[in-house]
Amino acid sequence: MDESLVHQVSCGMLICAGRVLLVHRSSSTARYPNVWDFPGGHLERGENSRQALVRELREELGVEITPPTGHPLLTRRDAEIFQEIWKVEAWEGAIINAAPDEHDAIGWFRLDEAMSLDLADDGYPALFN
């Protein structure tokens, strides 16, 4: 983990049957309230992005995944954030909103539907193609 960055984030783009899972960030969240986002979160001390994704999906959705391999779908870096988004197509367990204080809704969307939502990042629609 690079301590010089304020926020290091790992997120999962869960895909099943042509649909993508998105979480709606609660109005009480400090960053990006009231928008749809990929599930995930900040790296903890000593974690890499893959380890953080496994932990975050367990905490937020109640599912277990195998750490992703290869390269992330998207890497975004600016003065405050380093974010990686990983494609996730397999998990164990039923997806639930296990973090209702962070997300007031979760939903599966066709890729064309997802493009019309108020998303956390303008770069996300490029991932839906």
Side-chain angles (χ1 to χ4, degrees), residues 38-118:
F38 294 115
H42 291 88
L43 277 66
E44 292 182 353
R45 184 173 301 281
E47 279 185 324
N48 65 39
S49 184
R50 291 171 175 88
Q51 294 165 329
L53 182 63
V54 171
R55 178 185 50 76
E56 285 287 343
L57 294 185
R58 181 183 314 117
E59 291 174 0
E60 293 186 4
L61 303 177
V63 297
E64 294 294 331
I65 66 164
T66 301
T69 59
H71 300 285
L73 291 173
L74 175 72
T75 300
R76 183 172 67 98
R77 182 185 196 103
D78 62 30
E80 291 189 12
I81 193 168
F82 179 79
Q83 178 186 31
E84 291 181 330
I85 298 175
W86 300 88
K87 187 175 187 178
V88 178
E89 296 180 290
W91 53 88
E92 291 183 24
I95 292 175
I96 61 168
N97 185 3
D101 53 324
E102 294 179 41
H103 312 120
D104 54 20
I106 62 174
W108 287 99
F109 299 93
R110 289 189 327 263
L111 300 181
D112 61 317
E113 291 174 323
M115 290 175 63
S116 68
L117 297 172
D118 188 11

Side-chain angles (χ1 to χ4, degrees), residues 6-7 9 25-26 28-35 37 42 76 78 80-81:
V6 176
H7 301 282
V9 178
R25 296 177 60 83
S26 170
S28 63
T29 57
R31 294 178 58 88
Y32 306 105
N34 291 317
V35 293
D37 203 353
H42 291 88
R76 183 172 67 98
D78 62 30
E80 291 189 12
I81 193 168

